[in-house]
Amino acid sequence: MTKILIKRLSKTVSLPKYETSESSGLDLSANIDAKITIEPGGTAIIPTGIALSMPKGFEAQIRPRSGLAAKQKISVLNTPGTIDADYRGEIKVILINHSKELFTVDNGQRIAQMVICPVIQAQLEEVEVLSDTKRGKGGFGSTGKY
């Protein structure tokens, strides 16, 4: 198991945790002094009150919570958000309200999930020609619907 160091930036913040023994993501909670209301179509940056130190070769991905997305149309705008191994600042989550209703974030509310993932840094080599494939330059939808 990989050890991730975590720092509370507030004494009242809840540390992320896996809700079940087989969960992939740790739930992140809002750490705010006052409620934040997100207008329909609007966004808000929500602090979590935590900072991380991860080993080189890892990242934390910030993803939407499926319940918020399915039931209230609340998602993470830059999903997945990336927390690099060398970032030591507070983790903040950019929420977007895709609904037609106001959405209010309360202190302590679970707003996103964080998945710790290995990262491979690739060495890029510039070439004049790339190998051919069956798909070729076919883009969005080029492999068919079914």
Side-chain angles (χ1 to χ4, degrees):
M1 183 173 283
T2 301
K3 185 182 282 187
I4 305 295
L5 304 178
I6 188 165
K7 179 180 178 180
R8 291 179 203 249
L9 303 176
S10 162
K11 293 181 184 194
T12 62
V13 71
S14 298
L15 292 181
K17 65 178 185 170
Y18 295 104
E19 290 297 322
T20 69
S21 64
E22 295 183 30
S23 293
S24 299
L26 297 135
D27 282 342
L28 293 174
S29 298
N31 184 52
I32 51 181
D33 295 327
K35 294 180 181 197
I36 296 175
T37 300
I38 308 173
E39 300 280 337
T43 63
I45 297 175
I46 312 296
T48 64
I50 60 166
L52 300 177
S53 175
M54 292 176 284
K56 182 178 180 179
F58 285 86
E59 70 165 333
Q61 294 182 1
I62 310 304
R63 302 177 182 181
R65 292 193 68 232
S66 58
L68 279 180
K71 296 175 183 173
Q72 296 176 293
K73 297 182 175 49
I74 302 300
S75 190
V76 175
L77 182 61
N78 62 326
T79 190
T82 296
I83 308 299
D84 294 310
D86 59 352
Y87 177 67
R88 296 295 182 271
E90 181 176 15
I91 294 175
K92 297 179 182 179
V93 178
I94 308 168
L95 292 183
I96 184 165
N97 182 353
H98 289 294
S99 79
K100 293 179 173 34
E101 308 292 328
L102 293 173
F103 180 77
T104 301
V105 179
D106 296 312
N107 186 48
Q109 181 176 0
R110 292 182 293 159
I111 56 167
Q113 59 181 324
M114 176 173 67
V115 177
I116 307 298
C117 300
V119 173
I120 298 170
Q121 286 190 333
Q123 179 180 349
L124 301 179
E125 180 181 341
E126 186 175 7
V127 297
E128 295 294 323
V129 177
L130 298 175
S131 62
D132 288 330
T133 66
K134 182 178 177 182
R135 183 176 183 175
K137 293 181 183 178
F140 300 116
S142 66
T143 60
K145 190 171 180 178
Y146 297 99

